[in-house]
Amino acid sequence: MTTTIHTETSTSDIAAFKARLDRILALESTRRIIEDAEVTGAFPRSIIELLGREGIFAAKWQDPPVPALEHTLALAERFGRLGAGGVASGVTLHDSAIAMLRRFGRSARLREIADQAIAGKAVLCISATEAGAGSDMLGLSSTAIAEDGGFRLRGHKKMASPSPVADYIVLALRGVEEGHQSRDDLALFLAPTSQLRVGKAFDTVGARSISTAPVHFDTWVPADLMIARPGTGLAVLSWGLSQERFAVAAQIIGACHLALGVTVARMKRRKSFGVALFDHQALRLRIADLQARVDMMRLALNSLVADPAGLNVRSSAAAKVTAVRLGCEVMSECMHIFGSSGVLEMETPLGRWWRDVKMSRVGGGTDEMLWEIVAAGLEPDDANYDRLVHEWQPEDVV
Ligand SMILES: Cc1cc2nc3c(=O)[nH]c(=O)nc-3n(C[C@H](O)[C@H](O)[C@H](O)COP(=O)(O)OP(=O)(O)OC[C@H]3O[C@@H](n4cnc5c(N)ncnc54)[C@H](O)[C@@H]3O)c2cc1C
């Protein structure tokens, strides 16, 4: 069955896209979905259905199938401003899975599922992490073995978000062919969740509503559900993760905007030693420093939007690690400035936001893995070294 994409409600015009998003996110019913998700710790499928129905994904995913970065920035930053890290992450993971299907899904079946996801009729997630391997993706052990014209997928995934409500999961697996197996044989498959066993969602420290859960599988899928054949999976996954990391950086900048604005309001209202907290230079300048860095980070993301060719594995890794670490600093300082209210769950959401942003230092690639990607492109400046550095040598003694 082919799913109709609601193109009549979609638009490539970024101003109209932002206005539509703002309208949807301001709706009382949308706010209630997000607040309920924060309370129950369960990702709301209805948010994907709503965004799909309203043509939000359709506006992003027009032809040609390249991601509209400006739309990604607008979507992720706005979700970040809602202060619900789990929901925001689930939305960007769904969108990043669409990105992979749109760019690399060759079969009619994969394209059809991408259309369903764009229409909000199918929820997607991506899973690579296993109990024995997370950062080291070439150490994964779950396999895809050719069988009866299709593939037998066997193994487990430790974390798939939000698998309890997902219809399909992009699985990173070792593609074993003709008894041959090597570390660089990663393949990607799209597996219907109905064929997998999804475990109970983990109780995470933060971003609770992301609903991350383990999945086990020993199932057969047809060949047309293969997204990337063995040996190409890591490259395709890295491309998809670049989209995800850019979106996470934007989401964090949105969350920082919310936290800093609320904190400045607090500083102007709360008095200490006869004056507003804002009048204490030590506090005011700390917040100004953070706001300045958040503003500069937003400008950096906008410059990637202006030059989409600049978005690659390296720049997206740099954007995510830098934004997330800044986000951790922002949340920690904002929480601190709220004093005791910052640590009381019943009084302020600061503690929840602090925990949410910490999750992003692990999910989507840890700081260290992202710095390794940046390190791989570091170039020595030998010409200036030779010109400027004159280290004393023993033979210089006369
Ligand atoms: C909220 C949340 C949701 C998630 N959702 C998903 C999901 O949907 N799909 C999915 O596939 N995964 C998901 N993950 C898992 C996440 O991608 C992994 O946890 C992450 O990649 C790290 O893998 P690991 O947990 O195995 O840690 P490890 O790889 O064991 O790393 C442990 C620590 O050692 C460091 N380290 C490891 N190797 C090196 C090295 N060579 N040099 C320096 N430091 C190193 C790491 O940076 C880390 O700090 C999620 C995680 C979180 C927190």
Side-chain angles (χ1 to χ4, degrees), residues 106-126:
R106 299 273 173 261
S107 70
R109 178 96 188 271
L110 289 177
R111 284 201 295 270
E112 187 186 310
I113 294 169
D115 286 350
Q116 289 172 6
I118 287 167
K121 295 183 177 177
V123 176
L124 309 179
C125 60
I126 305 170

Side-chain angles (χ1 to χ4, degrees), residues 69 72-81 88-89 92 96 241-257 293-302 304-305 311 314-328 331 357 360-361 363-365 370:
L69 277 189
T72 302
L73 179 59
L75 178 66
E77 191 177 356
R78 276 165 173 72
F79 265 87
R81 286 184 191 200
S89 302
T92 59
S96 301
L241 285 174
S242 296
Q243 308 300 314
E244 174 65 14
R245 288 167 183 161
F246 176 80
V248 171
Q251 181 194 317
I252 298 294
I253 293 311
C256 289
H257 177 92
R293 285 191 274 150
V294 168
D295 290 346
M296 290 304 106
M297 190 68 217
R298 182 184 290 107
L299 286 175
L301 296 182
N302 272 299
L304 283 173
V305 167
L311 185 79
R314 189 167 188 248
S315 60
S316 61
K320 190 208 154 208
V321 66
T322 308
V324 168
R325 290 175 68 84
L326 173 58
C328 283
M331 295 308 170
V357 73
S360 298
R361 284 189 61 194
L370 303 183

Side-chain angles (χ1 to χ4, degrees), residues 126-129 133-135 159-161 210 212 359 362-364 366 368-369:
I126 305 170
S127 193
T129 308
S135 304
M159 287 179 139
S161 328
I210 197 172
T212 195
M359 296 300 97
V362 174
T366 63
E368 289 75 14
M369 291 306 104

Side-chain angles (χ1 to χ4, degrees), residues 328-393:
C328 283
E329 216 182 317
V330 166
M331 295 308 170
S332 173
E333 286 301 303
C334 289
M335 192 175 158
H336 183 73
I337 286 173
F338 266 89
S340 59
S341 293
V343 302
L344 296 180
E345 301 269 10
M346 60 176 291
E347 290 194 9
T348 70
L350 270 298
R352 181 159 54 79
W353 294 347
W354 179 60
R355 292 194 303 268
D356 281 2
V357 73
K358 179 73 182 73
M359 296 300 97
S360 298
R361 284 189 61 194
V362 174
T366 63
D367 296 357
E368 289 75 14
M369 291 306 104
L370 303 183
W371 281 327
E372 281 293 8
I373 292 171
V374 175
L378 294 178
E379 295 282 353
D381 181 351
D382 288 321
N384 274 317
Y385 187 93
D386 292 341
R387 191 172 65 82
L388 300 169
V389 179
H390 309 287
E391 197 175 2
W392 180 86
Q393 300 296 327

Side-chain angles (χ1 to χ4, degrees), residues 169-214:
I169 306 184
V170 176
L171 294 172
L173 304 164
R174 312 289 299 275
V176 183
E177 277 174 338
E178 294 160 5
H180 168 78
Q181 196 168 354
S182 71
R183 260 176 68 82
D184 62 355
D185 55 8
L186 221 60
L188 294 181
F189 284 83
L190 190 69
T193 315
S194 57
Q195 289 181 226
L196 317 176
R197 194 156 48 84
V198 178
K200 188 172 172 297
F202 291 114
D203 199 2
T204 49
V205 168
R208 291 181 61 230
S209 52
I210 197 172
S211 292
T212 195

